[in-house]
């Protein structure tokens, strides 16, 4: 469960209202694959990942990033029950996708960096802190059903 | 882990921009660290950590200056950071997990201050550089 103060909740929803979810999602996933190249192991079927430029422009990367962030976006409406919200996705990531939960933490941080990149002045230290709580909560929820 | 030629070039060019706002970047990095990762404050019981505190500014400035030394000696970062490596190992003994947290907060600060320049490639080069600096600062721990 994520404990946000009412100011933190307001800060998160306030900034999120301005976010282009598709764009930020694509960028966050692209940065993950460029900065931590070993994460490409899950995406061998995505085509050309041979350079930073190929990765950030890859349509499958952008589409998948958008999908991931849409799910994240939905979670902002359920901050008091992230574990329940992500139960099925957690099972999927463990049983079918075999993703090390460390990757959720890495992606959470590239989401924050993508937000800083596009909304720098608004992502003040307290707003970043609120988002760090959210991404940590989502990462934990996605790891919760692992066995 | 070593930096490629193009990574070094990228790191140095961003440093040139950073150096004109070094104090602000250092201070903001620390503010972000202490806001997002409350446990990091345990290393600074002797500091006033409120935003705007002169100690925060002074320390942020010190941290970024040290990164600048590393950049200026990018072909031999170990030598440039020898004194700081010993300081962290024998005196400060900051737990190694905290270097990743500080690195992340620096990258967030750079992304916010230099949106046009902070491409995925630049992000990758600086993340790698911070990882190199961190491993040098912790290499004498045991």
């Amino acid at each position: 469960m994520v404990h946000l103060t009412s100011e933190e909740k307001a800060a998160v929803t306030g900034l999120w209202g301005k976010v282009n979810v598709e764009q930020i999602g694509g960028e966050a996933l692209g940065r993950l694959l460029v900065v931590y190249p070993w994460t490409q192991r899950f995406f061998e079927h995505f085509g050309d990942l041979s350079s930073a430029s190929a990765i950030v422009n890859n349509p499958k990367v952008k589409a998948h990033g958008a999908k991931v962030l849409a799910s994240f976006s939905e979670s902002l409406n359920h901050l008091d029950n992230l574990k329940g919200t992500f139960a099925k996705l957690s099972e999927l990531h463990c049983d079918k996708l075999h993703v090390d939960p460390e990757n959720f933490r890495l992606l959470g941080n590239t989401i924050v960096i993508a937000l800083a990149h596009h909304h720098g002045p608004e992502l003040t230290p307290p707003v970043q802190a609120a988002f760090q709580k959210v991404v940590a909560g989502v990462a934990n929820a996605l790891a919760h059903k692992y066995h | 882990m070593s930096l490629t030629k193009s990574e070094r070039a990228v790191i140095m060019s961003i440093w040139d921009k950073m150096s004109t706002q070094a104090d602000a970047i250092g201070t903001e990095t620390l503010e972000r660290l202490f806001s997002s990762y409350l446990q990091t404050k345990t290393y600074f019981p002797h500091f006033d950590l409120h935003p705007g505190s002169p100690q925060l500014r002074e320390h942020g400035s010190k941290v970024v200056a040290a990164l600048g030394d590393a950049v200026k000696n990018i072909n031999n970062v170990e030598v440039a950071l020898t004194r700081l490596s010993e300081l962290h190992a024998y005196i400060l003994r900051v737990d190694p997990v905290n270097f990743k947290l500080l690195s992340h907060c620096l990258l967030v600060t750079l992304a916010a201050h230099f949106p046009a320049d902070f491409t995925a490639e630049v992000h990758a080069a600086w993340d790698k550089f911070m990882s190199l600096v961190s491993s040098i600062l912790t290499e004498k721990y045991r």
Side-chain angles (χ1 to χ4, degrees), chain B residues 72-126:
Chain B
K72 285 168 205 151
N73 292 283
I74 201 152
N75 295 313
N76 203 346
V77 180
E78 285 90 343
V79 167
L81 296 182
T82 303
R83 182 191 66 86
L84 280 175
S85 180
E86 286 167 4
L87 183 73
H88 282 77
Y90 306 129
I91 316 286
L92 302 178
R93 292 171 291 184
V94 172
D95 191 289
V97 308
N98 295 289
F99 292 93
K100 277 197 186 176
L101 304 180
L102 180 69
S103 300
H104 173 63
C105 290
L106 175 69
L107 297 178
V108 171
T109 303
L110 294 182
H113 280 252
F114 306 110
D117 304 284
F118 200 70
T119 61
E121 254 159 334
V122 168
H123 176 177
W126 267 84

Coordinates of all heavy atoms in Angstrom, one line a residue, chain B residues 72-126:
Chain B
K72 N 37.3 16.1 -15.7 CA 38.5 16.7 -16.3 C 39.6 15.6 -16.3 O 40.6 15.8 -17.1 CB 39.0 17.9 -15.4 CG 38.1 19.1 -15.6 CD 38.4 20.2 -14.6 CE 37.2 21.1 -14.5 NZ 37.0 21.7 -13.1
N73 N 39.5 14.6 -15.6 CA 40.5 13.5 -15.6 C 39.9 12.2 -16.1 O 40.1 11.1 -15.6 CB 41.1 13.3 -14.2 CG 41.9 14.5 -13.8 OD1 43.0 14.6 -14.2 ND2 41.3 15.3 -12.9
I74 N 39.0 12.4 -17.1 CA 38.2 11.2 -17.5 C 38.9 10.0 -18.0 O 38.4 8.9 -18.0 CB 37.1 11.7 -18.5 CG1 36.0 10.7 -18.5 CG2 37.7 11.9 -19.9 CD1 34.7 11.4 -18.9
N75 N 40.2 10.2 -18.3 CA 41.0 9.1 -18.7 C 41.6 8.4 -17.6 O 42.2 7.3 -17.7 CB 42.1 9.5 -19.7 CG 41.5 10.0 -21.0 OD1 40.6 9.4 -21.6 ND2 42.0 11.2 -21.5
N76 N 41.5 9.0 -16.4 CA 42.0 8.3 -15.2 C 41.3 8.8 -13.9 O 41.8 9.4 -13.0 CB 43.5 8.7 -15.1 CG 44.3 7.7 -14.2 OD1 43.6 6.8 -13.5 ND2 45.6 7.7 -14.2
V77 N 40.0 8.4 -13.9 CA 39.1 8.8 -12.8 C 39.6 8.2 -11.5 O 39.5 8.9 -10.5 CB 37.7 8.4 -13.2 CG1 36.7 8.8 -12.0 CG2 37.2 9.0 -14.5
E78 N 40.2 7.0 -11.5 CA 40.6 6.4 -10.2 C 41.6 7.4 -9.5 O 41.5 7.5 -8.3 CB 41.3 5.1 -10.4 CG 40.5 3.9 -10.7 CD 40.3 3.8 -12.3 OE1 40.5 4.7 -13.0 OE2 39.8 2.7 -12.6
V79 N 42.5 7.9 -10.2 CA 43.6 8.8 -9.6 C 42.9 10.0 -9.1 O 43.2 10.5 -8.0 CB 44.7 9.1 -10.7 CG1 45.6 10.2 -10.2 CG2 45.5 7.8 -10.9
A80 N 42.0 10.6 -9.9 CA 41.4 11.9 -9.5 C 40.6 11.7 -8.2 O 40.5 12.6 -7.4 CB 40.5 12.4 -10.6
L81 N 40.0 10.5 -8.0 CA 39.1 10.3 -6.9 C 39.8 9.5 -5.7 O 39.1 9.1 -4.8 CB 37.8 9.6 -7.3 CG 37.0 10.4 -8.3 CD1 35.7 9.6 -8.6 CD2 36.6 11.7 -7.7
T82 N 41.1 9.4 -5.8 CA 41.8 8.6 -4.7 C 41.5 9.1 -3.3 O 41.1 8.3 -2.4 CB 43.3 8.6 -4.9 OG1 43.6 8.1 -6.2 CG2 44.0 7.7 -3.9
R83 N 41.6 10.3 -3.1 CA 41.4 10.9 -1.8 C 39.9 10.7 -1.3 O 39.7 10.2 -0.2 CB 41.7 12.4 -1.8 CG 41.6 13.1 -0.4 CD 41.6 14.6 -0.5 NE 40.5 15.2 -1.2 CZ 39.3 15.5 -0.7 NH1 39.1 15.3 0.6 NH2 38.4 16.0 -1.4
L84 N 39.0 10.9 -2.2 CA 37.6 10.7 -1.9 C 37.2 9.3 -1.7 O 36.4 8.9 -0.9 CB 36.7 11.3 -3.0 CG 36.5 12.8 -2.9 CD1 35.7 13.3 -4.1 CD2 35.8 13.2 -1.6
S85 N 37.9 8.4 -2.4 CA 37.7 7.0 -2.2 C 38.1 6.6 -0.8 O 37.4 5.8 -0.1 CB 38.5 6.2 -3.3 OG 38.3 4.8 -3.1
E86 N 39.2 7.1 -0.4 CA 39.7 6.7 1.0 C 38.8 7.3 2.0 O 38.4 6.7 3.0 CB 41.1 7.2 1.2 CG 42.1 6.3 0.5 CD 43.5 6.8 0.3 OE1 43.8 7.9 0.9 OE2 44.3 6.2 -0.3
L87 N 38.3 8.6 1.8 CA 37.4 9.2 2.7 C 36.1 8.4 2.9 O 35.7 8.2 4.0 CB 37.1 10.6 2.2 CG 36.2 11.5 3.0 CD1 37.0 12.0 4.3 CD2 35.6 12.7 2.3
H88 N 35.6 8.0 1.8 CA 34.3 7.2 1.9 C 34.5 5.9 2.5 O 33.6 5.4 3.2 CB 33.7 7.1 0.5 CG 33.0 8.3 0.0 ND1 33.7 9.4 -0.4 CD2 31.7 8.7 0.0 CE1 32.8 10.4 -0.7 NE2 31.6 10.0 -0.4
A89 N 35.7 5.3 2.3 CA 35.9 3.9 2.8 C 36.2 3.9 4.3 O 35.7 3.1 5.1 CB 37.1 3.3 2.1
Y90 N 37.0 4.9 4.8 CA 37.5 4.8 6.1 C 36.8 5.8 7.1 O 36.7 5.5 8.3 CB 39.0 5.1 6.2 CG 39.8 4.2 5.2 CD1 40.7 4.7 4.3 CD2 39.5 2.8 5.2 CE1 41.4 3.9 3.4 CE2 40.2 2.0 4.3 CZ 41.1 2.5 3.5 OH 41.8 1.7 2.6
I91 N 36.3 6.9 6.6 CA 35.6 7.9 7.5 C 34.1 7.9 7.3 O 33.4 7.7 8.2 CB 36.2 9.3 7.2 CG1 37.7 9.3 7.1 CG2 35.7 10.3 8.3 CD1 38.5 9.2 8.4
L92 N 33.7 8.1 6.1 CA 32.2 8.4 5.9 C 31.4 7.1 5.9 O 30.4 7.0 6.4 CB 32.0 9.1 4.5 CG 32.7 10.4 4.4 CD1 32.4 11.0 3.0 CD2 32.3 11.4 5.5
R93 N 32.0 6.0 5.2 CA 31.3 4.7 5.2 C 29.9 4.8 4.9 O 29.0 4.2 5.5 CB 31.6 4.0 6.5 CG 33.1 3.6 6.6 CD 33.5 3.1 7.9 NE 33.4 4.1 9.0 CZ 33.8 4.0 10.2 NH1 34.3 2.8 10.6 NH2 33.7 4.9 11.1
V94 N 29.5 5.5 3.8 CA 28.2 5.6 3.3 C 27.8 4.2 2.6 O 28.6 3.8 1.8 CB 28.1 6.7 2.2 CG1 26.7 6.7 1.5 CG2 28.3 8.1 2.9
D95 N 26.7 3.6 3.0 CA 26.4 2.3 2.4 C 26.3 2.4 0.9 O 25.7 3.4 0.4 CB 25.1 1.8 3.0 CG 24.9 0.4 2.6 OD1 24.6 0.1 1.4 OD2 25.0 -0.5 3.5
P96 N 26.9 1.5 0.2 CA 27.0 1.5 -1.2 C 25.6 1.7 -1.9 O 25.6 2.3 -3.0 CB 27.6 0.2 -1.6 CG 28.5 -0.2 -0.5 CD 27.8 0.4 0.7
V97 N 24.5 1.3 -1.4 CA 23.2 1.5 -2.1 C 22.9 3.0 -2.3 O 22.2 3.3 -3.3 CB 22.0 0.9 -1.4 CG1 22.2 -0.6 -1.0 CG2 21.5 1.6 -0.2
N98 N 23.4 3.8 -1.5 CA 23.1 5.2 -1.6 C 23.7 5.9 -2.8 O 23.2 7.0 -3.3 CB 23.5 6.0 -0.3 CG 22.7 5.5 0.9 OD1 21.6 5.7 1.0 ND2 23.4 4.7 1.8
F99 N 24.8 5.4 -3.4 CA 25.4 6.0 -4.5 C 24.4 5.9 -5.7 O 24.4 6.8 -6.5 CB 26.7 5.3 -4.9 CG 27.8 5.6 -3.8 CD1 28.0 4.7 -2.8 CD2 28.5 6.8 -3.9 CE1 28.9 5.0 -1.8 CE2 29.5 7.0 -2.9 CZ 29.7 6.2 -1.9
K100 N 23.7 4.8 -5.8 CA 22.7 4.7 -6.9 C 21.6 5.7 -6.8 O 21.1 6.3 -7.7 CB 22.0 3.3 -6.9 CG 22.8 2.3 -7.6 CD 22.0 1.0 -8.0 CE 23.0 0.0 -8.5 NZ 22.3 -1.3 -8.8
L101 N 21.2 6.0 -5.5 CA 20.1 6.9 -5.2 C 20.6 8.3 -5.6 O 19.8 9.1 -6.3 CB 19.7 6.9 -3.8 CG 19.3 5.5 -3.2 CD1 18.9 5.6 -1.8 CD2 18.1 4.9 -4.0
L102 N 21.8 8.7 -5.2 CA 22.3 10.0 -5.5 C 22.5 10.2 -7.1 O 22.1 11.2 -7.6 CB 23.7 10.2 -4.9 CG 24.3 11.6 -5.2 CD1 23.5 12.7 -4.5 CD2 25.8 11.7 -4.7
S103 N 23.0 9.1 -7.7 CA 23.1 9.1 -9.2 C 21.8 9.4 -9.9 O 21.7 10.2 -10.8 CB 23.7 7.8 -9.7 OG 25.0 7.6 -9.1
H104 N 20.8 8.7 -9.4 CA 19.4 8.9 -10.0 C 19.0 10.3 -9.8 O 18.5 10.9 -10.8 CB 18.5 7.9 -9.4 CG 17.0 8.1 -9.8 ND1 16.6 7.9 -11.1 CD2 15.9 8.5 -9.0 CE1 15.3 8.2 -11.1 NE2 14.9 8.5 -9.9
C105 N 19.2 10.9 -8.7 CA 18.7 12.2 -8.4 C 19.5 13.2 -9.3 O 18.9 14.2 -9.7 CB 18.8 12.6 -6.9 SG 17.5 11.7 -6.0
L106 N 20.8 13.0 -9.5 CA 21.5 13.8 -10.4 C 21.0 13.8 -11.8 O 20.8 14.8 -12.5 CB 23.0 13.5 -10.4 CG 23.8 14.3 -11.4 CD1 24.0 15.7 -11.0 CD2 25.2 13.7 -11.6
L107 N 20.7 12.6 -12.3 CA 20.1 12.4 -13.6 C 18.8 13.1 -13.8 O 18.5 13.7 -14.8 CB 20.0 10.9 -14.0 CG 21.4 10.2 -14.1 CD1 21.1 8.7 -14.4 CD2 22.3 10.8 -15.1
V108 N 17.9 13.0 -12.8 CA 16.6 13.7 -12.8 C 16.9 15.2 -12.9 O 16.2 15.9 -13.7 CB 15.8 13.3 -11.5 CG1 14.5 14.2 -11.5 CG2 15.4 11.9 -11.5
T109 N 17.8 15.7 -12.1 CA 18.1 17.1 -12.2 C 18.6 17.5 -13.6 O 18.2 18.6 -14.1 CB 19.2 17.5 -11.1 OG1 18.7 17.0 -9.8 CG2 19.5 18.9 -11.1
L110 N 19.5 16.7 -14.2 CA 20.0 17.0 -15.5 C 18.9 17.0 -16.5 O 18.8 17.9 -17.4 CB 21.1 16.0 -15.9 CG 22.4 16.1 -15.1 CD1 23.4 15.1 -15.7 CD2 23.0 17.5 -15.1
A111 N 18.0 16.0 -16.4 CA 16.9 15.9 -17.4 C 16.0 17.2 -17.3 O 15.5 17.7 -18.3 CB 16.0 14.7 -17.1
A112 N 15.8 17.6 -16.1 CA 14.9 18.8 -15.8 C 15.6 20.1 -16.3 O 15.0 21.0 -16.9 CB 14.6 18.9 -14.4
H113 N 16.9 20.2 -16.2 CA 17.6 21.4 -16.5 C 18.0 21.5 -18.0 O 18.2 22.6 -18.5 CB 18.9 21.6 -15.7 CG 18.6 22.1 -14.3 ND1 19.0 23.4 -13.9 CD2 18.0 21.6 -13.2 CE1 18.6 23.6 -12.7 NE2 18.0 22.5 -12.2
F114 N 18.3 20.4 -18.6 CA 18.8 20.3 -20.0 C 17.9 19.5 -20.9 O 18.4 18.5 -21.5 CB 20.2 19.9 -20.0 CG 21.1 20.6 -19.1 CD1 21.6 20.1 -17.9 CD2 21.4 22.0 -19.4 CE1 22.5 20.8 -17.1 CE2 22.3 22.7 -18.5 CZ 22.8 22.1 -17.4
P115 N 16.6 19.8 -21.0 CA 15.7 18.9 -21.8 C 16.2 18.7 -23.2 O 16.1 17.6 -23.8 CB 14.4 19.6 -21.8 CG 14.6 21.0 -21.3 CD 15.9 21.0 -20.5
A116 N 16.7 19.7 -23.9 CA 17.1 19.6 -25.3 C 18.3 18.6 -25.4 O 18.5 17.9 -26.4 CB 17.5 20.9 -25.9
D117 N 19.2 18.6 -24.4 CA 20.4 17.8 -24.5 C 20.3 16.4 -23.9 O 21.1 15.5 -24.2 CB 21.5 18.5 -23.7 CG 21.7 19.9 -24.3 OD1 22.3 20.0 -25.4 OD2 21.3 20.9 -23.6
F118 N 19.4 16.2 -23.0 CA 19.4 14.9 -22.2 C 18.7 13.8 -23.0 O 17.6 13.3 -22.6 CB 18.7 15.1 -20.9 CG 19.1 14.1 -19.9 CD1 20.4 14.0 -19.4 CD2 18.1 13.1 -19.4 CE1 20.7 13.0 -18.4 CE2 18.5 12.2 -18.5 CZ 19.8 12.1 -18.0
T119 N 19.3 13.5 -24.1 CA 18.8 12.3 -25.0 C 19.0 11.0 -24.3 O 19.8 11.0 -23.2 CB 19.6 12.3 -26.3 OG1 20.9 12.1 -26.0 CG2 19.4 13.6 -27.1
A120 N 18.5 9.9 -24.8 CA 18.7 8.6 -24.2 C 20.2 8.3 -24.2 O 20.7 7.7 -23.3 CB 18.0 7.6 -25.0
E121 N 21.0 8.7 -25.3 CA 22.4 8.4 -25.3 C 23.2 9.2 -24.2 O 24.1 8.6 -23.6 CB 23.0 8.9 -26.6 CG 23.3 7.8 -27.6 CD 23.3 8.3 -29.0 OE1 22.7 9.3 -29.3 OE2 24.0 7.7 -29.8
V122 N 22.8 10.4 -24.0 CA 23.4 11.2 -23.0 C 23.1 10.6 -21.6 O 24.0 10.5 -20.7 CB 23.0 12.7 -23.1 CG1 23.4 13.5 -21.8 CG2 23.5 13.3 -24.3
H123 N 21.9 10.2 -21.4 CA 21.4 9.6 -20.2 C 22.2 8.3 -19.9 O 22.7 8.1 -18.8 CB 19.9 9.3 -20.4 CG 19.2 8.5 -19.3 ND1 17.9 8.3 -19.3 CD2 19.7 8.0 -18.1 CE1 17.5 7.6 -18.2 NE2 18.6 7.4 -17.5
A124 N 22.4 7.5 -21.0 CA 23.2 6.3 -20.8 C 24.6 6.6 -20.4 O 25.2 5.9 -19.5 CB 23.1 5.5 -22.1
A125 N 25.2 7.5 -21.1 CA 26.7 7.9 -20.8 C 26.8 8.4 -19.4 O 27.7 8.0 -18.7 CB 27.2 8.9 -21.8
W126 N 25.9 9.2 -18.9 CA 26.0 9.8 -17.6 C 25.7 8.7 -16.5 O 26.3 8.7 -15.5 CB 25.2 11.1 -17.4 CG 26.1 12.2 -17.7 CD1 26.4 12.8 -18.9 CD2 26.9 13.0 -16.7 NE1 27.3 13.8 -18.7 CE2 27.6 13.9 -17.4 CE3 27.0 12.9 -15.3 CZ2 28.5 14.8 -16.8 CZ3 27.9 13.7 -14.7 CH2 28.6 14.7 -15.4

